[in-house]
């Protein structure tokens, strides 16, 4: 789900490298905010506030979402 | 043409179809997908634009999401809009001066946006009265800078109070509350603007969206995003409506279907006695009719396109109890078995309004799709399944964003009806008989302050009968009106069928012994009646009295004004080579004697008295 939301938010497909990337240039803060918004809308959850400002990589984001939805 | 489009289903749509979806939606995912496609297909999408404009966004907060959707919103009303986001929180820094960046940009529009935090003193210590005074001063000063320093038109978002009032239920009664401060700031800004600033009423949008959800505080604290992301399309759409109204791009004619659109049932099945507007379901149709009547009062021309026997239609309007619209409220009725696109085209021809001035409203998705496929510049509204949703389907459509009525607007719809009647009459007789039979009377006057609104409307909206297509804002006209080097005259025309109101304008710039016709235009409802000759004669008479001996006219071709390419030669002007730009053609007319101006005049229009051209004075 997170990966498909990412693809929608950025208009790009996601590969293994991106999951672990710490490169903040991978997506800008606006895309990040929209990504969080999409995840919240789709799953009907509210992620912790620090997710909005944090620069987690995709892998960490997936983990956060998993714990917010009780799947962690 | 459905309300359930998803981002994935947009991929196959052509741009006109996609823009119809956008106009009817505020879904963020759909808007973002369409906006992304617009960035990729700028050239193809640009075909749907009728105007270009540049807008600079100056705000005290993050505007990225908004700015990203604005070009799409603008394109949905026919504007190819270049949006420039200025760094946020730099309003004074950018506008006082103004900054080199802004000067280089020379935007047509400057959009100012703030939040309640900018105008309400933090904590309880502040003096509310002083806060209102200061905020009105600050924001109107910014608007003034943008307008005077950059020559830009200013769009101000109104302020929205937060929903965190310590006084809660009592807040509205207390003049120190956020609610009260914010509403006084908005009112103060409107009063200061005196008509020169355009407003996006965010308070109304917030109320509609739900004030409690309008802002997501987490997004505010994290990235200074003032409005919930899901509400941003609504805000962008409302902004586009403001631009459309200002640029004269709002649709001017609403064409409605009849069966199951204006009333419950189908004439073809139930007969004229079998359709109706009673009961709870009927009440929704009545409400919709009243809404259309409201649009008509604001100057929207109403027309009918219906697949029905034309003889039965008038009977329904006459006999069915509870109908709010009368048959005579429609300036043109097309009924029969031709495809709707053919009916729409006929309406456009009879009313002499372009297809890009039309909105078709129909409950049948297939009819809407047929019209859109054949006539992509027509906006089509497919009504939702139940009549209770009809008003909502039109409300806030950006193509229907009307400007506030000027006094002449009220007569406009009636005048279009008269035009259609005249059009039918002219079929049989000669043009001269037709013109003489109209018994036209015209009044030419010097442009006065009370006519500025209408004059600005004519100058910004007239495309077909417009020799040079020059656009002046109300403020510019006001300055020229007081400039002794300019002669500006307006023409009001009436005939035995209707009073058309102020429908013509001529502007001459006097330079020594030459007067150049800078602008000559007629509203399309009075084209083909020789009224332009009365304006030319009046302008020539005034130019003679100002010492001019040569009248110079220029034709600047545009996509829409071929109609007037031969105007000057036909009036007796001599060709005088190219104008100031490559495409333009110049013409000259020598004012050899005091009577020369009268040579330009028309025999078909009587003088209606005061302020007349005064050829008899010569």
């Amino acid at each position: 789900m997170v990966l498909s939301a990412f693809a929608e938010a950025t208009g790009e497909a996601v590969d293994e490298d991106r999951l672990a990337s710490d490169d903040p240039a991978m997506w800008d803060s606006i895309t990040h905010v929209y990504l969080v918004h999409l995840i919240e809308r789709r799953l009907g959850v509210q992620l912790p506030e620090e997710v909005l400002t944090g620069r987690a990589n995709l892998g960490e984001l997936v983990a956060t979402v998993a714990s917010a939805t009780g799947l962690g | 043409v459905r309300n359930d489009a998803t981002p994935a289903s947009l991929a196959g749509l052509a741009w006109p179809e996609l823009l119809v979806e956008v106009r009817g939606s505020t879904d963020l995912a759909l808007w973002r997908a369409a906006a992304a496609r617009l960035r990729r297909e700028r050239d193809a999408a640009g075909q749907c634009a009728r105007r270009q404009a540049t807008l600079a966004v100056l705000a005290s907060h993050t505007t990225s999401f908004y700015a990203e959707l604005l070009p799409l919103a603008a394109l949905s009303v026919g504007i190819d809009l270049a949006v420039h986001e200025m760094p946020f929180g730099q309003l004074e820094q950018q506008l006082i001066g103004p900054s080199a960046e802004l000067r280089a940009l020379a935007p047509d529009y400057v959009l100012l946006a703030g939040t309640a935090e900018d105008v309400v003193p933090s904590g309880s210590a502040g003096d509310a009265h002083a806060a209102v005074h200061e905020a009105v001063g600050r924001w109107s000063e910014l608007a003034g800078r943008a307008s005077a320093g950059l020559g830009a038109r200013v769009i101000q978002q109104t302020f929205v109070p937060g929903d965190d009032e310590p006084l809660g239920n009592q807040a509205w009664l207390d003049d120190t509350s956020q609610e009260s401060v914010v509403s006084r700031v908005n009112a103060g800004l409107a009063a200061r603007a005196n008509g020169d600033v355009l407003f996006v009423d965010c308070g109304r949008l917030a109320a509609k969206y739900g004030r409690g959800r309008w802002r997501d505080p987490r997004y505010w604290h994290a990235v200074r995003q003032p409005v919930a992301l899901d509400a941003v399309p609504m805000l962008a759409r409302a902004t586009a409506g403001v631009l459309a109204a200002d640029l004269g791009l709002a649709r001017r004619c609403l064409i409605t279907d009849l069966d199951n659109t204006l009333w419950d049932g189908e004439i073809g099945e139930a007969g004229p006695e079998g359709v109706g507007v009673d009961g709870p379901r009927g009440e929704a149709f009545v409400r919709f009719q009243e809404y259309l009547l409201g649009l008509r009062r604001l100057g929207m021309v109403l027309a009918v396109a219906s697949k029905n026997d034309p003889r039965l239609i008038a009977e329904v309007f006459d006999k069915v109890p509870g109908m709010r619209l009368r048959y005579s409220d429609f300036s043109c009725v097309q009924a029969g078995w031709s495809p709707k696109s053919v009916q729409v085209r006929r309406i456009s021809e009879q009313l002499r309004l372009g297809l890009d001035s039309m909105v078709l409203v129909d409950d049948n998705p297939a009819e809407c799709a047929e019209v859109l496929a054949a006539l992509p510049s027509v906006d089509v509204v497919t009504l939702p399944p139940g009549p209770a949703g009809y008003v909502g389907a039109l409300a806030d459509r950006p193509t229907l964003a009307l400007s506030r009525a000027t006094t002449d607007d009220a007569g406009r719809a009636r005048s279009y009806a008269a035009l259609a009647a005249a059009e039918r009459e002219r079929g049989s007789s000669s043009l001269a008989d037709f013109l003489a039979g109209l018994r036209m009377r015209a009044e030419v006057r010097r442009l006065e302050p009370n006519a500025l609104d209408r004059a600005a409307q004519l100058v910004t909206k007239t495309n077909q009968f417009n020799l040079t297509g020059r656009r002046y804002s109300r403020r510019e006209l006001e300055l020229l009106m007081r400039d002794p080097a300019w002669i500006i005259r307006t023409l009001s025309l009436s005939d035995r069928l209707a009073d058309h109101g102020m429908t013509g304008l001529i502007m001459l710039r006097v330079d020594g012994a030459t007067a150049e016709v800078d602008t000559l235009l007629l509203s399309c409802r009075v084209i083909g009646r020789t009224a332009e000759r009365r304006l030319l004669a009046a302008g020539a008479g005034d130019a003679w009295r100002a010492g001019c001996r040569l009248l110079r006219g220029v034709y600047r071709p545009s996509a829409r004004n071929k109609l007037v390419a031969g105007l000057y030669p036909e009036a007796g002007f001599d060709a005088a080579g190219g104008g100031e730009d490559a495409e333009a053609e110049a013409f000259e007319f020598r004012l050899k004697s005091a009577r020369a101006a009268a040579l330009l005049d028309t025999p078909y229009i009587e003088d209606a008295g005061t302020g007349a051209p005064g050829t008899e004075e010569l």
Side-chain angles (χ1 to χ4, degrees):
Chain A
M1 204 309 297
V2 173
L3 300 187
S4 90
F6 179 84
E8 186 179 326
T10 61
E12 292 167 36
V14 185
D15 59 36
E16 290 287 316
D17 289 348
R18 297 189 77 128
L19 273 183
S21 173
D22 282 326
D23 180 3
M26 272 300 182
W27 68 85
D28 61 21
S29 60
I30 292 302
T31 308
H32 177 75
V33 168
Y34 184 58
L35 175 60
V36 173
H37 172 82
L38 271 181
I39 295 169
E40 291 188 339
R41 279 280 303 272
R42 296 236 177 123
L43 297 179
V45 296
Q46 276 216 358
L47 298 177
E49 291 180 21
E50 54 272 21
V51 174
L52 273 172
T53 37
R55 301 295 326 188
N57 68 32
L58 264 185
E60 288 157 1
L61 197 54
V62 171
T64 312
V65 172
S67 93
T69 51
L71 298 172
Chain B
V1 193
R2 296 160 320 273
N3 295 319
D4 56 353
T6 62
S9 72
L10 297 180
L13 296 183
W15 272 101
E17 295 167 327
L18 180 53
L19 293 177
V20 164
E21 296 290 351
V22 167
R23 289 175 198 133
S25 165
T26 53
D27 180 75
L28 179 65
L30 184 149
W31 271 68
R32 277 188 60 104
R37 197 172 143 193
L38 175 58
R39 288 191 289 276
R40 293 194 303 272
E41 300 176 13
R42 187 113 212 175
D43 290 344
Q47 310 280 318
C48 299
R50 293 149 70 191
R51 290 284 185 84
Q52 290 190 323
T54 310
L55 176 140
V57 180
L58 284 122
S60 61
H61 51 257
T62 304
T63 49
S64 306
F65 289 99
Y66 177 54
E68 193 174 58
L69 298 185
L70 276 177
L72 176 69
L75 187 64
S76 82
V77 294
I79 305 167
D80 180 357
L81 187 70
V83 177
H84 295 263
E85 237 188 308
M86 297 295 147
F88 82 68
Q90 305 283 306
L91 292 115
E92 275 79 4
Q93 295 86 328
Q94 290 285 340
L95 285 173
I96 297 176
S99 74
E101 190 184 355
L102 269 180
R103 269 183 287 133
L105 187 61
D108 302 303
Y109 291 94
V110 165
L111 187 141
L112 300 176
T115 64
E117 284 79 1
D118 293 314
V119 301
V120 179
S122 55
S124 54
D127 170 351
H129 181 73
V132 170
H133 185 75
E134 193 188 322
V136 171
R138 178 188 176 202
W139 290 85
S140 52
E141 161 83 9
L142 289 168
R145 296 266 181 187
S147 164
L150 290 166
R153 193 96 160 111
V154 177
I155 305 176
Q156 168 83 57
Q157 287 186 359
T158 66
F159 293 90
V160 180
D163 60 353
D164 47 352
E165 298 266 17
L167 258 174
N169 181 58
Q170 300 286 315
W172 68 291
L173 296 167
D174 187 291
D175 67 6
T176 65
S177 70
Q178 273 198 52
E179 176 125 18
S180 164
V181 169
V182 165
S183 79
R184 279 181 288 154
V185 169
N186 288 334
L189 288 174
R192 258 320 163 86
N194 194 24
D196 280 338
V197 174
L198 304 165
F199 289 95
V200 179
D201 186 1
C202 296
R204 182 177 162 276
L205 296 173
K208 211 170 154 147
Y209 184 80
R211 266 267 295 278
R213 297 182 299 127
W214 180 247
R215 172 180 288 186
D216 184 331
R218 297 176 309 142
Y219 287 72
W220 172 252
H221 299 311
V223 291
R224 285 286 175 264
Q225 169 61 30
V227 171
L229 294 190
D230 281 317
V232 177
M234 200 176 186
L235 182 58
R237 191 169 76 160
T239 310
V242 169
L243 288 168
D246 189 51
L247 288 171
L249 294 174
R251 307 278 162 151
R252 293 155 81 173
C253 174
L254 186 146
I255 305 173
T256 177
D257 173 52
L258 296 177
D259 289 338
N260 291 319
T261 294
L262 289 193
W263 53 67
D264 200 5
E266 291 175 21
I267 303 180
E269 277 181 13
E273 314 294 334
V275 302
V277 291
D278 44 16
R281 195 175 140 82
E283 195 170 294
F285 287 101
V286 168
R287 176 75 198 92
F288 186 56
Q289 289 193 16
E290 284 168 347
Y291 189 80
L292 295 184
L293 213 45
L295 289 178
R296 184 177 187 278
R297 283 196 197 100
L298 292 169
M300 182 72 72
V301 176
L302 300 183
V304 165
S306 165
K307 290 194 170 168
N308 264 312
D309 182 337
R311 286 165 302 178
L312 300 179
I313 290 174
E315 208 179 317
V316 174
F317 281 101
D318 283 349
K319 292 189 180 158
V320 169
M323 297 281 287
R324 293 299 192 272
L325 282 162
R326 315 269 31 129
Y327 190 77
S328 57
D329 289 327
F330 298 96
S331 300
C332 185
V333 175
Q334 282 290 327
W337 311 106
S338 323
K340 287 253 160 139
S341 61
V342 173
Q343 297 183 336
V344 169
R345 190 182 283 284
R346 282 194 200 127
I347 292 169
S348 157
E349 282 161 7
Q350 272 203 9
L351 298 177
R352 291 207 205 123
L353 285 169
L355 291 164
D356 53 14
S357 294
M358 306 277 166
V359 181
L360 173 79
V361 180
D362 204 309
D363 66 304
N364 184 337
E367 301 284 22
C368 291
E370 189 270 328
V371 169
L372 188 58
L375 310 171
S377 54
V378 174
D379 187 23
V380 299
V381 179
T382 307
L383 295 170
Y390 285 5
V391 171
L394 294 193
D396 293 322
R397 197 165 184 93
T399 43
L400 293 174
L402 299 166
S403 348
R404 280 160 68 206
T406 64
T407 33
D408 267 19
D409 275 338
R412 190 198 293 161
R414 269 197 301 284
S415 172
Y416 275 109
L419 176 69
E423 193 77 7
R424 282 192 296 276
E425 275 190 21
R426 75 190 291 176
S428 53
S429 58
S430 80
L431 182 62
D433 291 345
F434 164 75
L435 290 172
L438 281 173
R439 296 206 293 277
M440 292 182 280
R441 294 165 64 81
E443 189 178 330
V444 177
R445 296 173 153 271
R446 185 184 294 275
L447 177 61
E448 299 286 351
N450 62 7
L452 272 171
D453 282 340
R454 174 60 182 160
Q457 203 177 38
L458 282 171
V459 170
T460 51
K461 286 189 178 182
T462 309
N463 296 312
Q464 294 183 66
F465 201 108
N466 191 335
L467 272 298
T468 54
R470 296 198 175 103
R471 308 291 183 193
Y472 297 101
S473 68
R474 186 186 187 283
R475 174 173 284 188
E476 286 166 329
L477 284 177
E478 191 173 7
L479 292 174
L480 297 180
M481 180 179 81
R482 304 185 201 289
D483 186 335
W486 285 76
I487 296 171
I488 309 182
R489 299 291 179 264
T490 65
L491 172 132
S492 301
L493 188 76
S494 63
D495 59 41
R496 69 183 167 80
L497 297 165
D499 182 352
H500 302 280
M502 192 202 289
T503 41
L505 181 82
I506 189 167
M507 299 170 62
L508 298 108
R509 200 180 55 248
V510 175
D511 182 6
T514 302
E516 175 163 324
V517 182
D518 175 272
T519 294
L520 173 60
L521 57 84
L522 288 180
S523 157
C524 52
R525 13 176 194 156
V526 299
I527 293 176
R529 296 164 166 238
T530 69
E532 67 278 12
R533 302 292 289 267
R534 172 59 48 86
L535 272 171
L536 268 179
D542 286 324
W544 170 269
R545 281 188 286 280
C548 296
R549 296 300 173 258
L550 185 71
L551 205 57
R552 191 177 144 84
V554 178
Y555 167 62
R556 287 171 67 202
S558 73
R560 308 273 299 277
N561 74 350
K562 283 202 190 56
L563 179 72
V564 292
L567 181 134
Y568 286 119
E570 281 158 26
F573 282 61
D574 299 317
E580 74 279 27
D581 47 58
E583 302 265 280
E585 294 169 57
F587 302 90
E588 286 175 357
F589 186 86
R590 282 193 189 283
L591 297 167
K592 291 184 189 129
S593 70
R595 278 187 305 278
L599 298 175
L600 295 168
D601 210 350
T602 166
Y604 298 112
I605 303 178
E606 258 180 70
D607 188 356
T610 54
T615 39
E616 74 283 355
E617 295 168 28
L618 295 175

